[in-house]
Amino acid sequence: MGASVALVLGAGGQFGFAHIGVLKVLEEEALVPDLIVGSSIGSVVGALWAAGAGADFLARLGQEMRRSQWADVRLHRLGLLAGERMEGLMRLLLRDRELQSLVPRVVVVATDIQDGERVVIDRGPAAQAIRASASVPGLFAPLRWQGRLLVDGAVTERLPVRTAREQGADRILAVSLDPLRAKRVAPVTSLVDVVLRSFDILQREVTRQGATDADLVIEPDLTVGAGAHRDRVHRLVAAGHEAAAAQRRAIRELFGRQVGEARTGAS
């Protein structure tokens, strides 16, 4: 049986904290999608939320997280980071859950770097699936999975609206993170910025086309400016919340909630 409402969380690297603000609005409205489809950082946030981590917890986690907790720098012929530490962290946070056990249902998108095919993962160890979906080529070593060599889902589908439709979604709420649409574009100051900004540029037109297939698109203003990591996370979460709150009426209608209808507890 197909899902009725899907929440699509797009790629966006460090800007992915804006997804948390959108989830906060869904919590405030007691709205739970039938399906979450994530690409790259969207798969991380979506799976953790489905596993029971609330938006406030995710925001605190993002503020307190240190690079050393997820980045394992080592010489590897296919990437600067092995990716094992990221997977270990996800296993801990997800309590070794299987992807198919999460509620709402979660599907993540990765890319087979060998043949360029989009790979949709809907079962198996959730931490491993997330690692595959968020393994930025050149930074993280690809993950070997069922005879494939998987890297970041953003390579083939930055905003996985098509995947959501293929999974049976009738209505789609998509969160698109495009730092190039910010009122003030963030400066490029590191190797990571160079790689991620390159993805942003290459995928812009494809992302626009995908967004047109969604029923409702939320595009947070990703102007965050300089400052400490905690402050940047706070501003990104606030940006996501502001963008979603501005469309509360449309979000309620998408979920089939009558405007003004009394809220009920989330299931």
PDB file of all heavy atoms in Angstrom, residues 232-260:
ATOM      1  N   ARG A 232      25.846  29.028  14.401  1.00  0.00           N
ATOM      2  CA  ARG A 232      25.444  28.707  13.027  1.00  0.00           C
ATOM      3  C   ARG A 232      24.341  27.658  13.016  1.00  0.00           C
ATOM      4  O   ARG A 232      23.376  27.767  12.255  1.00  0.00           O
ATOM      5  CB  ARG A 232      26.660  28.228  12.232  1.00  0.00           C
ATOM      6  CG  ARG A 232      27.651  29.327  11.894  1.00  0.00           C
ATOM      7  CD  ARG A 232      28.942  28.734  11.329  1.00  0.00           C
ATOM      8  NE  ARG A 232      28.701  27.977  10.112  1.00  0.00           N
ATOM      9  CZ  ARG A 232      28.617  28.500   8.892  1.00  0.00           C
ATOM     10  NH1 ARG A 232      28.738  29.806   8.738  1.00  0.00           N
ATOM     11  NH2 ARG A 232      28.419  27.740   7.839  1.00  0.00           N
ATOM     12  N   VAL A 233      24.480  26.636  13.847  1.00  0.00           N
ATOM     13  CA  VAL A 233      23.449  25.603  13.932  1.00  0.00           C
ATOM     14  C   VAL A 233      22.129  26.230  14.374  1.00  0.00           C
ATOM     15  O   VAL A 233      21.072  25.963  13.795  1.00  0.00           O
ATOM     16  CB  VAL A 233      23.861  24.482  14.904  1.00  0.00           C
ATOM     17  CG1 VAL A 233      22.689  23.527  15.154  1.00  0.00           C
ATOM     18  CG2 VAL A 233      25.058  23.715  14.356  1.00  0.00           C
ATOM     19  N   HIS A 234      22.197  27.077  15.389  1.00  0.00           N
ATOM     20  CA  HIS A 234      20.986  27.736  15.895  1.00  0.00           C
ATOM     21  C   HIS A 234      20.314  28.544  14.795  1.00  0.00           C
ATOM     22  O   HIS A 234      19.074  28.479  14.630  1.00  0.00           O
ATOM     23  CB  HIS A 234      21.347  28.646  17.066  1.00  0.00           C
ATOM     24  CG  HIS A 234      20.182  29.455  17.581  1.00  0.00           C
ATOM     25  ND1 HIS A 234      19.190  28.913  18.370  1.00  0.00           N
ATOM     26  CD2 HIS A 234      19.844  30.763  17.381  1.00  0.00           C
ATOM     27  CE1 HIS A 234      18.297  29.840  18.650  1.00  0.00           C
ATOM     28  NE2 HIS A 234      18.661  30.968  18.057  1.00  0.00           N
ATOM     29  N   ARG A 235      21.090  29.290  14.011  1.00  0.00           N
ATOM     30  CA  ARG A 235      20.509  30.111  12.957  1.00  0.00           C
ATOM     31  C   ARG A 235      19.906  29.271  11.846  1.00  0.00           C
ATOM     32  O   ARG A 235      18.869  29.626  11.276  1.00  0.00           O
ATOM     33  CB  ARG A 235      21.574  31.069  12.399  1.00  0.00           C
ATOM     34  CG  ARG A 235      21.943  32.198  13.367  1.00  0.00           C
ATOM     35  CD  ARG A 235      22.701  33.298  12.655  1.00  0.00           C
ATOM     36  NE  ARG A 235      24.031  32.875  12.238  1.00  0.00           N
ATOM     37  CZ  ARG A 235      25.137  33.024  12.971  1.00  0.00           C
ATOM     38  NH1 ARG A 235      25.054  33.575  14.175  1.00  0.00           N
ATOM     39  NH2 ARG A 235      26.309  32.644  12.520  1.00  0.00           N
ATOM     40  N   LEU A 236      20.544  28.150  11.516  1.00  0.00           N
ATOM     41  CA  LEU A 236      20.005  27.284  10.467  1.00  0.00           C
ATOM     42  C   LEU A 236      18.707  26.617  10.905  1.00  0.00           C
ATOM     43  O   LEU A 236      17.751  26.518  10.128  1.00  0.00           O
ATOM     44  CB  LEU A 236      21.040  26.230  10.081  1.00  0.00           C
ATOM     45  CG  LEU A 236      22.187  26.739   9.208  1.00  0.00           C
ATOM     46  CD1 LEU A 236      23.322  25.723   9.166  1.00  0.00           C
ATOM     47  CD2 LEU A 236      21.684  27.040   7.796  1.00  0.00           C
ATOM     48  N   VAL A 237      18.662  26.144  12.142  1.00  0.00           N
ATOM     49  CA  VAL A 237      17.423  25.556  12.663  1.00  0.00           C
ATOM     50  C   VAL A 237      16.313  26.607  12.641  1.00  0.00           C
ATOM     51  O   VAL A 237      15.177  26.326  12.225  1.00  0.00           O
ATOM     52  CB  VAL A 237      17.628  25.009  14.090  1.00  0.00           C
ATOM     53  CG1 VAL A 237      16.290  24.562  14.690  1.00  0.00           C
ATOM     54  CG2 VAL A 237      18.613  23.844  14.090  1.00  0.00           C
ATOM     55  N   ALA A 238      16.647  27.816  13.063  1.00  0.00           N
ATOM     56  CA  ALA A 238      15.667  28.903  13.063  1.00  0.00           C
ATOM     57  C   ALA A 238      15.197  29.225  11.639  1.00  0.00           C
ATOM     58  O   ALA A 238      14.013  29.509  11.416  1.00  0.00           O
ATOM     59  CB  ALA A 238      16.267  30.147  13.712  1.00  0.00           C
ATOM     60  N   ALA A 239      16.109  29.163  10.674  1.00  0.00           N
ATOM     61  CA  ALA A 239      15.740  29.437   9.280  1.00  0.00           C
ATOM     62  C   ALA A 239      14.761  28.397   8.765  1.00  0.00           C
ATOM     63  O   ALA A 239      13.786  28.728   8.067  1.00  0.00           O
ATOM     64  CB  ALA A 239      16.994  29.463   8.411  1.00  0.00           C
ATOM     65  N   GLY A 240      15.011  27.132   9.094  1.00  0.00           N
ATOM     66  CA  GLY A 240      14.092  26.084   8.687  1.00  0.00           C
ATOM     67  C   GLY A 240      12.729  26.253   9.328  1.00  0.00           C
ATOM     68  O   GLY A 240      11.685  26.075   8.677  1.00  0.00           O
ATOM     69  N   HIS A 241      12.736  26.593  10.603  1.00  0.00           N
ATOM     70  CA  HIS A 241      11.473  26.787  11.332  1.00  0.00           C
ATOM     71  C   HIS A 241      10.703  27.954  10.750  1.00  0.00           C
ATOM     72  O   HIS A 241       9.477  27.871  10.517  1.00  0.00           O
ATOM     73  CB  HIS A 241      11.766  27.018  12.811  1.00  0.00           C
ATOM     74  CG  HIS A 241      10.528  27.082  13.664  1.00  0.00           C
ATOM     75  ND1 HIS A 241       9.796  28.242  13.836  1.00  0.00           N
ATOM     76  CD2 HIS A 241       9.875  26.116  14.381  1.00  0.00           C
ATOM     77  CE1 HIS A 241       8.765  27.993  14.622  1.00  0.00           C
ATOM     78  NE2 HIS A 241       8.785  26.712  14.958  1.00  0.00           N
ATOM     79  N   GLU A 242      11.392  29.054  10.466  1.00  0.00           N
ATOM     80  CA  GLU A 242      10.725  30.237   9.916  1.00  0.00           C
ATOM     81  C   GLU A 242      10.102  29.942   8.556  1.00  0.00           C
ATOM     82  O   GLU A 242       8.965  30.344   8.280  1.00  0.00           O
ATOM     83  CB  GLU A 242      11.730  31.381   9.796  1.00  0.00           C
ATOM     84  CG  GLU A 242      11.143  32.669   9.240  1.00  0.00           C
ATOM     85  CD  GLU A 242      12.159  33.784   9.122  1.00  0.00           C
ATOM     86  OE1 GLU A 242      13.329  33.580   9.520  1.00  0.00           O
ATOM     87  OE2 GLU A 242      11.792  34.874   8.631  1.00  0.00           O
ATOM     88  N   ALA A 243      10.851  29.231   7.707  1.00  0.00           N
ATOM     89  CA  ALA A 243      10.341  28.925   6.367  1.00  0.00           C
ATOM     90  C   ALA A 243       9.118  28.009   6.427  1.00  0.00           C
ATOM     91  O   ALA A 243       8.153  28.193   5.679  1.00  0.00           O
ATOM     92  CB  ALA A 243      11.444  28.279   5.530  1.00  0.00           C
ATOM     93  N   ALA A 244       9.146  27.016   7.315  1.00  0.00           N
ATOM     94  CA  ALA A 244       8.016  26.102   7.436  1.00  0.00           C
ATOM     95  C   ALA A 244       6.827  26.776   8.114  1.00  0.00           C
ATOM     96  O   ALA A 244       5.674  26.576   7.709  1.00  0.00           O
ATOM     97  CB  ALA A 244       8.436  24.859   8.214  1.00  0.00           C
ATOM     98  N   ALA A 245       7.098  27.573   9.149  1.00  0.00           N
ATOM     99  CA  ALA A 245       6.018  28.258   9.866  1.00  0.00           C
ATOM    100  C   ALA A 245       5.261  29.202   8.937  1.00  0.00           C
ATOM    101  O   ALA A 245       4.048  29.397   9.089  1.00  0.00           O
ATOM    102  CB  ALA A 245       6.586  29.020  11.061  1.00  0.00           C
ATOM    103  N   ALA A 246       5.972  29.772   7.961  1.00  0.00           N
ATOM    104  CA  ALA A 246       5.328  30.681   7.016  1.00  0.00           C
ATOM    105  C   ALA A 246       4.341  29.946   6.116  1.00  0.00           C
ATOM    106  O   ALA A 246       3.492  30.581   5.472  1.00  0.00           O
ATOM    107  CB  ALA A 246       6.389  31.386   6.167  1.00  0.00           C
ATOM    108  N   GLN A 247       4.438  28.624   6.077  1.00  0.00           N
ATOM    109  CA  GLN A 247       3.541  27.829   5.233  1.00  0.00           C
ATOM    110  C   GLN A 247       2.716  26.844   6.053  1.00  0.00           C
ATOM    111  O   GLN A 247       2.320  25.784   5.551  1.00  0.00           O
ATOM    112  CB  GLN A 247       4.356  27.081   4.171  1.00  0.00           C
ATOM    113  CG  GLN A 247       5.130  27.998   3.235  1.00  0.00           C
ATOM    114  CD  GLN A 247       5.523  27.315   1.950  1.00  0.00           C
ATOM    115  OE1 GLN A 247       4.674  26.865   1.175  1.00  0.00           O
ATOM    116  NE2 GLN A 247       6.821  27.203   1.706  1.00  0.00           N
ATOM    117  N   ARG A 248       2.435  27.196   7.295  1.00  0.00           N
ATOM    118  CA  ARG A 248       1.663  26.298   8.156  1.00  0.00           C
ATOM    119  C   ARG A 248       0.328  25.898   7.519  1.00  0.00           C
ATOM    120  O   ARG A 248      -0.066  24.723   7.542  1.00  0.00           O
ATOM    121  CB  ARG A 248       1.396  26.951   9.510  1.00  0.00           C
ATOM    122  CG  ARG A 248       2.540  26.939  10.479  1.00  0.00           C
ATOM    123  CD  ARG A 248       2.088  27.492  11.824  1.00  0.00           C
ATOM    124  NE  ARG A 248       3.211  27.794  12.698  1.00  0.00           N
ATOM    125  CZ  ARG A 248       3.753  26.919  13.547  1.00  0.00           C
ATOM    126  NH1 ARG A 248       3.259  25.698  13.636  1.00  0.00           N
ATOM    127  NH2 ARG A 248       4.770  27.275  14.319  1.00  0.00           N
ATOM    128  N   ARG A 249      -0.388  26.872   6.997  1.00  0.00           N
ATOM    129  CA  ARG A 249      -1.703  26.580   6.421  1.00  0.00           C
ATOM    130  C   ARG A 249      -1.578  25.567   5.286  1.00  0.00           C
ATOM    131  O   ARG A 249      -2.329  24.589   5.223  1.00  0.00           O
ATOM    132  CB  ARG A 249      -2.354  27.869   5.918  1.00  0.00           C
ATOM    133  CG  ARG A 249      -3.724  27.665   5.267  1.00  0.00           C
ATOM    134  CD  ARG A 249      -4.232  28.970   4.693  1.00  0.00           C
ATOM    135  NE  ARG A 249      -4.527  29.914   5.757  1.00  0.00           N
ATOM    136  CZ  ARG A 249      -5.724  30.075   6.317  1.00  0.00           C
ATOM    137  NH1 ARG A 249      -6.744  29.327   5.911  1.00  0.00           N
ATOM    138  NH2 ARG A 249      -5.920  30.961   7.265  1.00  0.00           N
ATOM    139  N   ALA A 250      -0.614  25.803   4.394  1.00  0.00           N
ATOM    140  CA  ALA A 250      -0.432  24.895   3.252  1.00  0.00           C
ATOM    141  C   ALA A 250       0.013  23.510   3.716  1.00  0.00           C
ATOM    142  O   ALA A 250      -0.399  22.491   3.145  1.00  0.00           O
ATOM    143  CB  ALA A 250       0.601  25.485   2.288  1.00  0.00           C
ATOM    144  N   ILE A 251       0.831  23.457   4.758  1.00  0.00           N
ATOM    145  CA  ILE A 251       1.295  22.167   5.281  1.00  0.00           C
ATOM    146  C   ILE A 251       0.122  21.393   5.877  1.00  0.00           C
ATOM    147  O   ILE A 251      -0.039  20.193   5.629  1.00  0.00           O
ATOM    148  CB  ILE A 251       2.400  22.373   6.336  1.00  0.00           C
ATOM    149  CG1 ILE A 251       3.665  22.913   5.670  1.00  0.00           C
ATOM    150  CG2 ILE A 251       2.713  21.059   7.059  1.00  0.00           C
ATOM    151  CD1 ILE A 251       4.746  23.336   6.652  1.00  0.00           C
ATOM    152  N   ARG A 252      -0.712  22.086   6.658  1.00  0.00           N
ATOM    153  CA  ARG A 252      -1.878  21.416   7.239  1.00  0.00           C
ATOM    154  C   ARG A 252      -2.781  20.853   6.147  1.00  0.00           C
ATOM    155  O   ARG A 252      -3.263  19.718   6.236  1.00  0.00           O
ATOM    156  CB  ARG A 252      -2.681  22.406   8.086  1.00  0.00           C
ATOM    157  CG  ARG A 252      -2.001  22.875   9.367  1.00  0.00           C
ATOM    158  CD  ARG A 252      -2.806  24.000   9.976  1.00  0.00           C
ATOM    159  NE  ARG A 252      -2.141  24.612  11.115  1.00  0.00           N
ATOM    160  CZ  ARG A 252      -2.420  25.823  11.578  1.00  0.00           C
ATOM    161  NH1 ARG A 252      -3.364  26.548  10.994  1.00  0.00           N
ATOM    162  NH2 ARG A 252      -1.777  26.303  12.628  1.00  0.00           N
ATOM    163  N   GLU A 253      -3.005  21.646   5.112  1.00  0.00           N
ATOM    164  CA  GLU A 253      -3.869  21.197   4.027  1.00  0.00           C
ATOM    165  C   GLU A 253      -3.258  20.008   3.294  1.00  0.00           C
ATOM    166  O   GLU A 253      -3.971  19.085   2.886  1.00  0.00           O
ATOM    167  CB  GLU A 253      -4.133  22.357   3.072  1.00  0.00           C
ATOM    168  CG  GLU A 253      -4.984  23.462   3.692  1.00  0.00           C
ATOM    169  CD  GLU A 253      -5.137  24.676   2.794  1.00  0.00           C
ATOM    170  OE1 GLU A 253      -4.396  24.758   1.781  1.00  0.00           O
ATOM    171  OE2 GLU A 253      -5.973  25.543   3.104  1.00  0.00           O
ATOM    172  N   LEU A 254      -1.944  20.017   3.121  1.00  0.00           N
ATOM    173  CA  LEU A 254      -1.276  18.903   2.456  1.00  0.00           C
ATOM    174  C   LEU A 254      -1.485  17.601   3.219  1.00  0.00           C
ATOM    175  O   LEU A 254      -1.682  16.538   2.638  1.00  0.00           O
ATOM    176  CB  LEU A 254       0.222  19.197   2.318  1.00  0.00           C
ATOM    177  CG  LEU A 254       1.043  18.127   1.609  1.00  0.00           C
ATOM    178  CD1 LEU A 254       0.776  18.152   0.109  1.00  0.00           C
ATOM    179  CD2 LEU A 254       2.531  18.309   1.870  1.00  0.00           C
ATOM    180  N   PHE A 255      -1.452  17.703   4.554  1.00  0.00           N
ATOM    181  CA  PHE A 255      -1.629  16.529   5.400  1.00  0.00           C
ATOM    182  C   PHE A 255      -3.112  16.186   5.605  1.00  0.00           C
ATOM    183  O   PHE A 255      -3.438  15.242   6.319  1.00  0.00           O
ATOM    184  CB  PHE A 255      -0.970  16.748   6.763  1.00  0.00           C
ATOM    185  CG  PHE A 255       0.506  16.445   6.781  1.00  0.00           C
ATOM    186  CD1 PHE A 255       1.424  17.364   6.293  1.00  0.00           C
ATOM    187  CD2 PHE A 255       0.986  15.249   7.285  1.00  0.00           C
ATOM    188  CE1 PHE A 255       2.789  17.092   6.310  1.00  0.00           C
ATOM    189  CE2 PHE A 255       2.344  14.968   7.303  1.00  0.00           C
ATOM    190  CZ  PHE A 255       3.250  15.893   6.804  1.00  0.00           C
ATOM    191  N   GLY A 256      -3.986  16.978   5.014  1.00  0.00           N
ATOM    192  CA  GLY A 256      -5.411  16.694   5.149  1.00  0.00           C
ATOM    193  C   GLY A 256      -6.018  17.262   6.401  1.00  0.00           C
ATOM    194  O   GLY A 256      -7.142  16.918   6.773  1.00  0.00           O
ATOM    195  N   ARG A 257      -5.303  18.162   7.079  1.00  0.00           N
ATOM    196  CA  ARG A 257      -5.813  18.793   8.293  1.00  0.00           C
ATOM    197  C   ARG A 257      -6.575  20.051   7.908  1.00  0.00           C
ATOM    198  O   ARG A 257      -6.052  20.905   7.200  1.00  0.00           O
ATOM    199  CB  ARG A 257      -4.622  19.148   9.198  1.00  0.00           C
ATOM    200  CG  ARG A 257      -4.930  20.037  10.393  1.00  0.00           C
ATOM    201  CD  ARG A 257      -5.529  19.280  11.552  1.00  0.00           C
ATOM    202  NE  ARG A 257      -4.730  18.131  11.943  1.00  0.00           N
ATOM    203  CZ  ARG A 257      -3.636  18.200  12.709  1.00  0.00           C
ATOM    204  NH1 ARG A 257      -3.186  19.373  13.114  1.00  0.00           N
ATOM    205  NH2 ARG A 257      -2.994  17.108  13.050  1.00  0.00           N
ATOM    206  N   GLN A 258      -7.799  20.157   8.353  1.00  0.00           N
ATOM    207  CA  GLN A 258      -8.574  21.357   8.103  1.00  0.00           C
ATOM    208  C   GLN A 258      -7.982  22.513   8.895  1.00  0.00           C
ATOM    209  O   GLN A 258      -7.590  22.357  10.050  1.00  0.00           O
ATOM    210  CB  GLN A 258     -10.045  21.158   8.502  1.00  0.00           C
ATOM    211  CG  GLN A 258     -10.761  20.114   7.664  1.00  0.00           C
ATOM    212  CD  GLN A 258     -10.841  20.505   6.206  1.00  0.00           C
ATOM    213  OE1 GLN A 258     -11.119  21.647   5.881  1.00  0.00           O
ATOM    214  NE2 GLN A 258     -10.581  19.548   5.330  1.00  0.00           N
ATOM    215  N   VAL A 259      -7.914  23.664   8.288  1.00  0.00           N
ATOM    216  CA  VAL A 259      -7.384  24.834   8.980  1.00  0.00           C
ATOM    217  C   VAL A 259      -8.241  25.126  10.195  1.00  0.00           C
ATOM    218  O   VAL A 259      -9.470  25.185  10.123  1.00  0.00           O
ATOM    219  CB  VAL A 259      -7.352  26.058   8.044  1.00  0.00           C
ATOM    220  CG1 VAL A 259      -6.890  27.299   8.799  1.00  0.00           C
ATOM    221  CG2 VAL A 259      -6.446  25.779   6.860  1.00  0.00           C
ATOM    222  N   GLY A 260      -7.610  25.263  11.347  1.00  0.00           N
ATOM    223  CA  GLY A 260      -8.335  25.529  12.576  1.00  0.00           C
ATOM    224  C   GLY A 260      -8.735  24.291  13.313  1.00  0.00           C
ATOM    225  O   GLY A 260      -9.244  24.345  14.430  1.00  0.00           O
TER     226      GLY A 260
END
